[in-house]
Structures are given as structure tokens and as C-alpha cells.
Amino acid sequence: MENKGDNQSVHFRNDIQLSGVFQENEIKSLKGVKWKFQTDGKIYSSPIVFDDTVYIGSEDKHFYAIDKKNGEVKWCFPSGGAIRSAASIANELAYFTCTDGFLYAVQIDSGELLWRFETNGEAMVDPWDYFLSSPIVSEGIVYFGSGDHHIYAVHALTGEEIWRYKTGGVVHATPAIYNQTLFIGSYDGYFYALHIQTGKEKWVFRTIGDKWFPNGDIQGSASVSNGTVYFGSRDFNLYAIDAETGRGEWNYKVPGTWVITTPTVKDGLVFFASSDHSKMFAMDAKSGREKWNLPLHINTFGSSIIAHNTLYFGNMNGKFYALNLHTGEQQWVYETESSKEGFEKWLDDEGKLGEELNEQLRNAKDIDEYSKVYDTIMSLGSIISTPFIENGSIYFGSTDGCIYALE
């Protein structure tokens, strides 16, 4: 597979702009599960496919290389912590970050460690801070963010630090690269455009903020399309910014709900999902006007991807959706076994939280009790992993610990 920017490489959401748009035929109807592979931990991470292998990490502290044809493990690499980033493949190496505070470079043919780069340590902002920054490789340099508040540039073959840039908060977004510029947000509420060779600021954009989230924390990643950068914030906004100047083009507020998913843009539309309001939105990419929305009734944290005229994404209810881009009409839905087993117990007839979980939310005295409700939801086999599509198959991870391959 060839990636825009580096030959024989592949990245989270398919390219270094994090477009999420794949030059693949859409899967208009679902034949079924080609295979699934069980790990020993939840999967928040997202898969990538390179040649004949699926690469993905797990909360069980292992990074897996799996045969895409039959789901058999080729090798697995033990790390020092949970793996919550997607990998990038370049230079015959798999690069991924880990909760132990290291960036790893592992040989894709053997699973042997070539080098690892140590940051000043990772951090978890709150129980909903599910993802780490996924490394992106361009022109021999690996770029990623860290819980130590820094954005790093590291030599792809040696692991030697080239530059670092300090922000005012945790950086768990994945960098997007366009026109020799790195675009990334931080939990400090600022969105940064940095020169990729030097790490120097090109411009910085401040989110609006909200009464309940005054910093306008940026948890999710941006995507770049046609000279515009799109990203969401915990201040309930989706932003569209001019990539060259950093000036705002428009913002769209969905009151009371974080925008964490990475926007996906195609055919003049930008797609994103909200968390608490539990909808998938399609917006006009130029004006920010809403075209359609689909109620999902429960949170979406994983991002969507597109192949041809179909939008694909998973939901915390354990269901995976394929929608028509232009109408939002459901083309097919896949449900994990865990979802089938627990749906009626924990959710109501519409798919919203059932009375037992709502009562637990009402009675929650602190953030730990509140987050326990989400632990219960994850027993449904929640899909917060961003999918990857390749050659008629679609791959994603689930909190039931399984990696799924659908065809």
C-alpha cells in the first residue's frame, strides 16, 4: 500500500492528513465475520493493514501482527504498558506509543525491537481519555504527542530526538501533516500549527471554551482537506480553520456534548460524531450547515472512515454501522456477540441507557462512580476503535478484547 507522503507506508486513518478516506470499493452488504481474534484486554487502539498483516495493540500490553487472511498471530510484542495508539508502518518498522511512556519501533518481519524512545512519562486526564497519540511518519521523521505535554519529532531509523515542542497540557491527539506543517491540539485548549523540520510555531488557535469546559480541551485529532483543518473540542464545538493562516472559517456547537472523533471529509461534506448527544452529523464542509444527522442513542468515541459512498464507524453499544454518505441511511449494521448478550439488560428498546444505568448516573457521587457506568457499557463490546478497510474486508477492535475482520 502506498501512502501520501511516504512510499510503502501506512498510517492511522490511512494517510498523513488523517483523512479517513480509502480508495477501496465500499462494502454494500455484509457477508459476515471472516475471523476474530481474542486478546487478553480491552482494545481501544485502531488497526492498520500493511501487505498481508493486520497490526494492532491491546490493553493486555501486547502489540500483535495478525495474518489478515485467517486471523492467526504471526508474532506479538510485549510492551511495558497498555497500547492505546494505532501504529504507523514505514521503513519495514511498526511505530506505536504506549502508556509506559515509550515510543516503540518494532521490525515488522520478526516483531523484534529496533529501538524505543523515552518521553517524560504518560498521563491519563480522566476515565474518558481513552487514546494515546498515534505516531505519524513523514520523510524519515516520526511525529507524536505525549502525556508529558510535549510534541516530539524523532528520527525514524535511530530514535534520536530531532525537536520537541511544549504545550500547556496533555497531547493525546494524533498529528496531521499537510504542506510541511504539523497540525495538532492539546488539552490546554490550543491548536498548534508547527513547521515539521524545526518545530517552530506557524500559528496557534485558541478554542472558544464553555462554562463547563472553559479550557476548550482538545482530546481528538484533526484532519486536513482542501486547505482546511477540521477538529473537535470538549467545549462542544467542531472547528474549521484555514490551514495556512489559522483563521477560523466556521464552528458548529452541539451544546452539552464533547466532539472527540476525528472529522472525515468527502464530497463537500464533513462527518463527525458527538459523545453525549449521541449522533452522527453530516455538515457542509464550506459553510458548516447541517445536512443530516443520525441519532445513535449512546456515545461514539471512535472515528469514522469512508470508502466510496459509505461511511463506517463503531459505537459504544457494540454495533458497527455502514451508512450512505449523502442520506445517512443505514446500509447494514453488525453487532458484537457481547452486545447481543447484554443489550436488553443494560439498554432500553431505543438503545438508550436503561433505567438501572441511569439511576447509577443520577446517584454517582464522584467521577469514579460515574465512570463505572461506562465500564458496564463496555461489557457490550463497545467499538471505540477506528476501523480500517482493505481489499473487501474491514477491521476494528472492541472492548470485548476481540479484533474483528468483516467481509
Side-chain angles (χ1 to χ4, degrees), residues 21-310:
V21 177
F22 289 73
Q23 301 304 314
E24 296 279 344
N25 292 325
E26 59 193 332
I27 301 174
K28 291 185 177 179
S29 61
L30 182 65
K31 293 180 182 178
V33 179
K34 183 165 69 170
W35 53 259
K36 65 178 180 177
F37 175 80
Q38 181 74 53
T39 73
D40 292 327
K42 295 182 179 72
I43 296 179
Y44 300 147
S45 163
S46 301
I48 60 169
V49 180
F50 183 79
D51 288 340
D52 59 355
T53 307
V54 180
Y55 298 92
I56 192 170
S58 170
E59 291 290 285
D60 68 8
K61 302 182 180 180
H62 287 81
F63 182 78
Y64 293 89
I66 301 169
D67 191 304
K68 74 176 185 183
K69 299 181 187 69
N70 55 32
E72 293 181 0
V73 175
K74 294 184 173 183
W75 52 258
C76 72
F77 175 84
S79 67
I83 300 169
R84 297 183 172 184
S85 83
S88 281
I89 304 292
N91 312 303
E92 301 297 312
L93 296 170
Y95 303 91
F96 58 90
T97 58
C98 180
T99 56
D100 63 6
F102 284 93
L103 166 70
Y104 288 87
V106 175
Q107 298 179 61
I108 62 173
D109 58 348
S110 64
E112 294 182 2
L113 178 69
L114 180 63
W115 55 259
R116 63 178 189 171
F117 174 83
E118 186 175 13
T119 68
N120 294 324
E122 263 303 336
M124 189 174 179
V125 174
D126 57 33
W128 299 276
D129 185 15
Y130 294 123
F131 309 112
L132 297 184
S133 178
S134 298
I136 295 296
V137 187
S138 180
E139 299 179 3
I141 301 175
V142 187
Y143 302 92
F144 68 101
S146 171
D148 69 8
H149 298 196
H150 287 88
I151 302 159
Y152 289 94
V154 175
H155 194 287
L157 295 180
T158 66
E160 179 184 0
E161 182 178 318
I162 297 173
W163 56 256
R164 68 171 68 184
Y165 178 93
K166 188 173 184 179
T167 76
V170 165
V171 184
H172 281 164
T174 296
I177 296 174
Y178 170 77
N179 195 24
Q180 296 294 298
T181 306
L182 181 147
F183 300 95
I184 195 167
S186 168
Y187 270 88
D188 65 6
Y190 288 88
F191 188 84
Y192 298 88
L194 308 178
H195 290 280
I196 60 172
Q197 293 91 350
T198 64
K200 301 296 184 183
E201 288 180 13
K202 186 174 180 180
W203 51 257
V204 178
F205 177 88
R206 182 74 168 93
T207 57
I208 298 169
D210 182 85
K211 177 181 179 181
W212 303 110
F213 296 93
N215 286 338
D217 318 52
I218 302 171
Q219 179 177 354
S221 309
S223 61
V224 188
S225 179
N226 296 319
T228 300
V229 185
Y230 301 89
F231 67 92
S233 168
R234 285 189 172 190
D235 68 3
F236 317 145
N237 279 282
L238 176 74
Y239 294 91
I241 296 173
D242 186 283
E244 183 62 30
T245 65
R247 296 191 183 99
E249 295 182 357
W250 55 262
N251 63 282
Y252 181 83
K253 187 165 188 175
V254 190
T257 184
W258 295 344
V259 180
I260 292 171
T261 61
T262 305
T264 309
V265 186
K266 189 174 187 289
D267 295 347
L269 298 172
V270 55
F271 304 88
F272 73 99
S274 60
S275 57
D276 293 82
H277 277 197
S278 309
K279 292 181 179 180
M280 175 61 73
F281 291 90
M283 318 291 296
D284 184 280
K286 289 295 183 183
S287 67
R289 293 189 180 93
E290 183 179 320
K291 292 293 188 178
W292 57 258
N293 73 73
L294 176 71
L296 298 166
H297 308 305
I298 196 168
N299 309 60
T300 299
F301 284 93
S303 301
S304 61
I305 63 168
I306 292 172
H308 197 50
N309 289 316
T310 304

